[in-house]
Amino acid sequence: MTDPASPRPLALVTGASSGIGYQLALLFAINGFDLIATGRSEKTDKAAADLAAHGTDVVPVRADLATRDGVETVWNAVEKTGRPLDAAVLNAGRSIGGGFLDTDLDDELSLIDLNVTSVVHLAKHVARHMAANGKGRILITSSLSATLPTPYETVYGPSRAFTRMFALGLREELKEHGVSVTTLMPGATDSDFHARAGMNNTTFGAGMKKNSRKDVARQGFLALMNGQAEVVGGDAATRRTAWKNRFLPETLKAARHARSAKPRD
Ligand SMILES: NC(=O)c1ccc[n+]([C@@H]2O[C@H](COP(=O)([O-])OP(=O)(O)OC[C@H]3O[C@@H](n4cnc5c(N)ncnc54)[C@H](OP(=O)(O)O)[C@@H]3O)[C@@H](O)[C@H]2O)c1
């Protein structure tokens, strides 16, 4: 429960049970926000308890955002607080590694439900709510993968390209309503993400040097608070890659990604 009369700002973070989302939620907690922290697994309650230890009110919500009911469950939890939502981080997402000939169609359609459909669905509620209040900040997690074709996670990259362009379009529309929208584009980051995608037998497996999820979250949080349009999450090499990807042919980037993401026999 949160106090409806609380003067503290309120933030919603999806995918707050682990990884980048947990670190983002932690930054909100440390900076005086109360939280609605969502996840799908039992880790959500433990994460919420850890966040609450920073003196903040946290409402944990367990819901499968790949379903319409799951999205409505999350939004109902926001409405139930009776408080204005000051910030929303639409971050929950996943990838699926492997050759397209082998991967499961239902799994991939469910990935699109999570990475694309749920973002549009939740953004509809969040945008209308914030526009009615004349203020708010939205952070949408995309990926460096939005800047290239991603063979051997062929559905994932396009799903993040969608979120990037969606966020940039929404940003332009919501400007005149006092709401800012920021896109976070992390490069490969140390979280459960690649293991969950079944990519341990690729270059993205355990041996790879990845960006720190704490650093990526901090970059996203600062960009959100500064009202920036986009921020690349990661170190200087990651930012250089993002910059170079603007000029490289898609075919060349596809061949490069295939070398890294193709499962080893
Ligand atoms: N890590 C990277 O290299 C990387 C790079 C670029 C972009 N990203 C993006 O960063 C975001 C966060 O990923 P991460 O690296 O922090 O991965 P992560 O550690 O695997 O965290 C993913 C989060 O999303 C939640 N989630 C997954 N499926 C869900 C579902 N069906 N319904 C509701 N919640 C669900 C998870 O909840 P549970 O744990 O409770 O299941 C977890 O909180 C994703 O959108 C991803 O596309 C990651």
Side-chain angles (χ1 to χ4, degrees):
M1 280 290 286
T2 72
D3 175 1
S6 171
R8 290 160 60 89
L10 180 68
L12 163 69
V13 181
T14 72
S17 59
S18 71
I20 299 167
Y22 177 79
Q23 295 301 328
L24 278 162
L26 189 56
L27 288 166
F28 280 104
I30 291 166
N31 284 280
F33 283 73
D34 287 336
L35 277 162
I36 295 156
T38 92
R40 192 171 70 160
S41 69
E42 66 289 343
K43 280 186 292 180
T44 312
D45 293 330
K46 163 86 169 74
D50 291 347
L51 292 164
H54 293 269
T56 192
D57 283 345
V58 185
V59 178
V61 184
R62 277 183 69 180
D64 181 358
L65 288 174
T67 67
R68 283 180 80 117
D69 283 353
V71 177
E72 288 298 318
T73 298
V74 168
W75 185 248
N76 287 341
V78 174
E79 289 202 312
K80 211 170 144 198
T81 66
R83 292 168 59 175
L85 188 63
D86 297 276
V89 180
L90 310 188
N91 163 80
R94 69 182 180 108
S95 183
I96 298 169
F100 188 70
L101 297 176
D102 304 320
T103 45
D104 181 69
L105 177 63
D106 286 340
D107 203 20
E108 281 166 335
L109 295 179
S110 170
L111 179 153
I112 294 170
D113 287 338
L114 174 65
N115 289 9
V116 175
T117 309
S118 87
V119 174
V120 175
H121 186 166
L122 199 49
K124 183 69 86 180
H125 287 306
V126 169
R128 285 180 172 163
H129 171 93
M130 288 181 175
N133 293 337
K135 69 182 173 79
R137 298 174 191 279
I138 302 173
L139 182 68
I140 296 185
T141 305
S142 170
S143 171
L144 196 61
S145 293
T147 66
L148 67 153
T150 56
Y152 298 102
E153 35 177 359
T154 301
V155 179
Y156 173 69
S159 78
R160 298 290 74 162
F162 178 93
T163 38
R164 181 184 181 200
M165 289 302 155
F166 173 72
L168 287 165
L170 191 60
R171 173 183 175 83
E172 192 58 33
E173 282 195 42
L174 294 187
K175 260 183 193 166
E176 63 183 88
H177 298 280
V179 180
S180 79
V181 182
T182 299
T183 314
L184 171 61
M185 298 169 66
T189 302
D190 66 344
S191 71
D192 298 337
F193 179 79
H194 290 108
R196 285 183 184 206
M199 296 181 72
N200 278 344
N201 61 342
T202 72
T203 305
F204 293 99
M208 187 189 199
K209 181 181 172 294
K210 295 183 185 171
N211 291 295
S212 140
R213 56 186 180 271
K214 282 189 185 169
D215 291 348
V216 169
R218 199 179 55 247
Q219 288 162 327
F221 186 81
L222 285 177
L224 176 72
M225 290 305 158
N226 291 331
Q228 273 173 244
E230 289 195 292
V231 65
V232 173
D235 62 7
T238 306
R239 288 195 295 279
R240 264 198 310 279
T241 302
W243 186 80
K244 281 196 248 165
N245 279 356
R246 293 189 201 167
F247 311 106
L248 292 174
E250 306 305 323
T251 46
L252 190 145
K253 289 182 284 185
R256 190 183 62 194
H257 191 82
R259 284 193 294 278
S260 303
K262 188 172 183 178
R264 297 184 196 104
D265 296 329

